[in-house]
Amino acid sequence: MTAPYLIIFDVDGTLIDSQAHIVASMEAAFSGLDLPAPSRAQTLSIVGLSLPVAMLRLAPDHSAEMRADLVEGYKAAFQSLRLSADGAALSPLFEGAMSVLETLQADPRFVLAIATGKSRRGMEHILDQHGLRPYFASVQVADDHPSKPHPAMVKACLFECDVPAARAVVIGDTTYDVEMAKAAGAQAIGVSWGYHSVEDLRQSGADPILRRFGELPAALERIWSLT
């Protein structure tokens, strides 16, 4: 039997518009230690990385102990905001995402997976909040793997879904997603509505780059010559 095609989604900036949640949590983490918070642009530039790597980039002149405190402060703030009255509004699905997931899941040629820099606790909440559990055959999180762009998460998806890298694609909004895909031998499709610029995505090797979610099914048909 021919293996299916595996579509691996990033989460923040690709499926979920979580920038307000991320920026507010980062500001809370830094203010909790009486440190000046990074700019919004600086914070969004590290989306997709695991938190220890992100804090190393945002606070390179501080001690490892202080960066560890920043990680814990971010986690606590993120959880508190998630449980607040406005928690659901802080991380909505991007327009068109659910419709496309439904279309792809209904196609027997495709299997869907997730590779995210989120923690397991954060990802579990997103899956429940948006009713996404039935859509994904494999969910890989930062707790279990090196930070993107290391290919471990993609390779775990390939293994769990029994799909060769040549029949897999990563959908993401950052160069970390693209580099992760390439390192694993998979293809990469970029999205223009996330946290890295279209030019950066193009230079890192994303092809094509989507302008809206509804373009994804046709893009998959083209890259795998399915029509």
Side-chain angles (χ1 to χ4, degrees):
M1 180 178 177
T2 303
Y5 294 95
L6 178 61
I7 307 166
I8 305 171
F9 289 91
D10 168 57
V11 176
D12 292 312
T14 301
L15 286 174
I16 301 293
D17 185 5
S18 51
Q19 59 179 305
H21 201 165
I22 292 169
V23 170
S25 300
M26 195 65 74
E27 289 175 348
F30 276 76
S31 65
L33 294 179
D34 294 321
L35 297 173
S39 69
R40 183 183 187 86
Q42 288 173 319
T43 294
L44 295 182
S45 75
I46 55 79
V47 174
L49 299 174
S50 65
L51 278 173
V53 175
M55 292 306 181
L56 180 59
R57 294 197 180 190
L58 293 175
D61 298 328
H62 294 292
S63 67
E65 290 76 15
M66 182 165 285
R67 289 197 298 272
D69 288 342
L70 285 169
V71 167
E72 293 308 311
Y74 178 93
K75 289 180 178 179
F78 201 92
Q79 174 73 352
S80 177
L81 287 168
R82 178 190 295 141
L83 298 176
S84 71
D86 296 329
L90 285 170
S91 296
L93 284 164
F94 280 106
E95 182 179 357
M98 182 59 79
S99 176
V100 169
L101 290 177
E102 291 172 350
T103 297
L104 296 177
Q105 188 203 36
D107 192 322
R109 297 172 298 178
F110 301 138
V111 174
L112 311 185
I114 280 175
T116 178
K118 299 180 83 65
S119 68
R120 171 168 284 103
R121 181 172 67 174
M123 191 64 237
E124 292 286 326
H125 177 81
I126 290 294
L127 291 172
D128 289 336
Q129 183 181 59
H130 296 289
L132 296 176
R133 287 190 184 277
Y135 293 89
F136 300 102
S138 178
V139 176
Q140 304 302 322
V141 298
D143 296 7
D144 304 323
H145 300 283
S147 178
K148 298 177 183 180
H150 193 283
M153 283 194 278
V154 173
K155 290 184 175 181
C157 289
L158 295 171
F159 177 78
E160 289 191 359
C161 298
D162 194 22
V163 175
R167 296 174 72 88
V169 64
V170 174
I171 317 298
D173 69 300
T174 71
T175 58
Y176 315 129
D177 298 310
V178 178
E179 292 165 5
M180 175 181 67
K182 300 294 185 180
Q187 298 189 67
I189 293 177
V191 303
S192 63
W193 52 80
Y195 302 132
H196 285 189
S197 71
V198 168
E199 183 58 30
D200 285 344
L201 289 170
R202 184 173 291 114
Q203 290 183 359
S204 66
D207 183 33
I209 298 172
L210 309 180
R211 298 290 178 172
R212 57 185 182 85
F213 229 110
E215 297 173 354
L216 179 55
L220 295 170
E221 298 280 351
R222 288 194 300 272
I223 67 170
W224 283 320
S225 301
L226 298 178
T227 57

